[in-house]
Amino acid sequence: MLAIGCDHGGFKLKESLKRYLEELNIEYKDFGCDGETCDYPDIAAVVAKAVASGSFEKGLLICGTGIGMSIAANKIRGIRAACCSDYYSAKYTRMHNNANILCLGGRIIGPGAAEELVDVFLNTEYEGGRHQHRLDIITRLEEESAQ
Ligand code: RB5
């Protein structure tokens, strides 16, 4: 199950991607917003916490650029949020970073490109192996900075 959210800058793209997910029978829960002006860190926090808790396998966050959402989501322990606008990054952030949230820019990419990014993000497995050691370092940094 996918947790999704946006601010006003990402609303149009979120609505379009919801229709796409429905066509593919991919289950999601929409954590808002409903198009009104809002603060992206509030939405990022709700979606990131839902993913970090284990209730949702992955998340999708959309703001104007995708950058604010990724900065905010990455403040939540256990979250590896990646802001992507190209196919290679969306693929390799799964393979090498085991990213669990994809952030997109609603003012940057159109619906067709966004669908391809969502597809590859959802369907690419983490490689593990040598990459796990690096993720362990990130987890250690997270723990150190929480002290
Ligand atoms: C909202 O205007 C905009 O700042 C937001 O959507 C996002 O792009 C922030 O990173």
Side-chain angles (χ1 to χ4, degrees):
M1 174 89 109
L2 186 64
I4 68 176
C6 71
D7 74 352
H8 48 287
F11 180 70
K12 198 169 153 202
L13 183 58
K14 185 183 74 175
E15 291 305 298
S16 154
L17 286 174
K18 277 163 63 177
R19 288 191 292 276
Y20 181 65
L21 294 170
E22 284 157 22
E23 278 169 25
L24 297 179
N25 290 318
I26 294 172
E27 284 192 293
Y28 66 83
K29 180 171 176 182
D30 184 358
F31 287 87
C33 74
D34 296 323
E36 72 284 7
T37 298
C38 65
D39 298 320
Y40 62 82
D42 292 334
I43 304 287
V46 173
V47 168
K49 285 175 185 174
V51 173
S53 73
S55 303
F56 293 82
E57 192 196 340
K58 290 192 183 92
L60 173 63
L61 284 167
I62 312 169
C63 62
T65 60
I67 296 172
M69 284 294 195
S70 62
I71 292 171
N74 278 317
K75 299 298 178 193
I76 303 300
R77 185 185 290 203
I79 291 304
R80 292 174 300 279
C83 180
C84 300
S85 52
D86 68 278
Y87 190 89
Y88 186 92
S89 298
K91 180 174 178 178
Y92 277 81
T93 199
R94 285 288 311 130
M95 288 168 65
H96 289 188
N97 313 131
N98 198 15
N100 47 16
I101 296 186
L102 174 66
C103 300
L104 300 175
R107 295 172 181 156
I108 307 288
I109 55 168
E115 288 170 10
E116 292 207 338
L117 296 180
V118 168
D119 268 340
V120 72
F121 186 81
L122 294 183
N123 293 312
T124 303
E125 293 299 319
Y126 171 50
E127 273 183 356
R130 71 186 192 281
H131 303 294
Q132 189 53 47
H133 171 63
R134 294 156 188 168
L135 294 194
D136 291 343
I137 296 173
I138 293 173
T139 301
R140 201 180 67 226
L141 293 172
E142 207 170 52
E143 284 162 4
E144 284 170 7
S145 74
Q147 285 166 7

